[in-house]
Amino acid sequence: MTTSHDGDAIVLSGLRKSYHGRPAVDGIDFTVRRGEVFALLGPNGAGKTTTVEILAGHRRRDGGEVRVLGADPADGRPEWKARIGVVLQRADDLTYSSVLSVRDWVRSVAAYYPTPRPPDEVIELVGLSRQARVRASALSGGQRRRLDVALGIVGRPELLFLDEPTTGFDPEARVRFWSLLTQLAHDGTTILLTTHYLEEAERLADRVAVVAAGRIVAIATPQTLGGRASATATVRWTGPDGTQSRRTGDPTAVVRELGQRFGGAVPDLVVQRPSLEDVYLEMIGQSPTRADTRQPVTGGPA
């Protein structure tokens, strides 16, 4: 039986969930350490959202052992719920059919927690200060997503679940939100994040797990996923005959050789290793060379 210990916020083993006889989650295992930012990456239908919903106590599992902050989320006790924050992909329709304003909603949710963040501070953090007195029902799609995030973090959660949190954010709001998550992590909040934005995962996550067809394909840091750190590099430069390139396992030696050849600076020198997108697409069975025909990495449901 899987058990949690002080260093782990989440421990799951053999997690399974099927819908109409078809597996959505097919034996997932991973551990998230306390204070870690852990990202789940995967194409639409990979099982990311189902996994998060089970971990947050919003959906029952069919099998496997799960511990979240030392408890089984299926129990869903109030004192356990007060320790977590949840921003699911599917928002509560009640929030956006009421006459309550943004400030009203954040204040009302804050009242459920023993030591919440100041509501106006949270509203500012998610970029809704100008809409604080606007009814939630009148918000745009992106603004509603920001309110979802505000409601998820106002209780100062020990563990925060974020399912595609920045969908609908403009670039400025997304960068601001990344700064917020960085600060939350610095303060000790454990974060489990699903995202289609690979830049988001690379910037925020301590580790990433690639999920495909309900199973974990790989778990590593963003920098080492798929052997990125040691993968063959491409060195490009401009020579007398135009742009030239060389693939090598030792780019430092090639750059040194070019420096000697050119007697100093090498014109238009670029050293490239596989990007996170390159290794991600390879892991889920999509070729980076077919970028014009594949489903976009950003956007869409999980």
Side-chain angles (χ1 to χ4, degrees):
M1 180 175 178
T2 301
T3 58
S4 180
H5 54 79
D6 289 344
D8 298 325
I10 300 172
V11 181
L12 64 159
S13 176
L15 181 64
R16 299 191 308 278
K17 179 67 178 181
S18 296
Y19 299 104
H20 308 294
R22 300 183 63 180
V25 177
D26 194 14
I28 282 182
D29 308 87
F30 64 76
T31 299
V32 179
R33 296 182 288 269
R34 291 182 185 269
E36 184 175 30
V37 180
F38 190 91
L40 292 177
L41 302 177
N44 297 344
K48 306 186 303 299
T49 292
T50 297
T51 299
V52 170
E53 290 176 345
I54 291 171
L55 294 176
H58 287 242
R59 191 174 297 277
R60 293 280 178 171
R61 64 187 183 272
D62 294 337
E65 297 292 339
V66 181
R67 290 293 181 271
V68 176
L69 298 180
D72 187 335
D75 294 340
R77 296 182 180 180
E79 58 269 25
W80 176 82
K81 290 182 178 180
R83 300 169 64 194
I84 68 170
V86 184
V87 180
L88 294 178
Q89 202 174 123
R90 303 173 186 85
D92 186 350
D93 290 339
L94 176 62
T95 305
Y96 303 110
S97 61
S98 75
V99 297
L100 294 182
S101 70
V102 168
R103 181 178 283 118
D104 291 337
W105 268 114
V106 178
R107 284 178 173 174
S108 64
V109 171
Y112 286 97
Y113 295 93
T115 57
R117 286 177 174 269
D120 286 339
E121 173 187 305
V122 172
I123 291 169
E124 181 178 358
L125 284 171
V126 299
L128 285 178
S129 294
R130 294 182 179 179
Q131 291 78 30
R133 298 185 179 183
V134 175
R135 289 184 179 183
S137 58
L139 297 177
S140 69
Q143 291 167 346
R144 290 185 177 192
R145 195 59 179 152
R146 296 185 203 183
L147 178 55
D148 293 338
V149 172
L151 300 180
I153 67 174
V154 70
R156 299 185 191 269
E158 185 177 335
L159 170 62
L160 179 60
F161 293 102
L162 298 170
D163 192 12
E164 306 289 349
T166 60
T167 299
F169 279 31
D170 59 47
E172 181 181 355
R174 184 172 292 115
V175 170
R176 177 188 289 186
F177 183 66
W178 291 349
S179 296
L180 170 60
L181 291 190
T182 299
Q183 184 61 51
L184 290 173
H186 182 266
D187 293 341
T189 304
T190 305
I191 299 171
L192 190 146
L193 165 77
T194 79
T195 181
H196 278 87
Y197 296 100
L198 297 183
E199 180 187 1
E200 189 163 86
E202 189 155 28
R203 179 159 177 173
L204 297 174
D206 297 303
R207 289 188 298 151
V208 299
V210 177
V211 186
R215 297 183 178 184
I216 298 290
V217 177
I219 299 178
T221 67
Q223 296 75 26
T224 61
L225 187 71
R228 288 179 66 197
S230 58
T232 299
T234 300
V235 181
R236 291 190 177 86
W237 69 96
T238 299
D241 299 324
T243 301
Q244 297 179 268
S245 65
R246 185 187 305 178
R247 291 176 59 80
T248 176
D250 189 358
T252 301
V254 174
V255 171
R256 187 183 303 116
E257 174 194 327
L258 290 170
Q260 293 172 350
R261 183 192 307 176
F262 284 93
V266 181
D268 304 318
L269 177 66
V270 176
V271 179
Q272 291 181 317
R273 292 192 187 272
S275 67
L276 182 60
E277 181 176 356
D278 292 335
V279 298
Y280 166 76
L281 292 173
E282 182 176 354
M283 285 179 175
I284 65 171
Q286 297 186 32
S287 171
T289 62
R290 298 178 59 193
D292 57 330
T293 60
R294 67 176 184 260
Q295 289 289 327
V297 174
T298 57

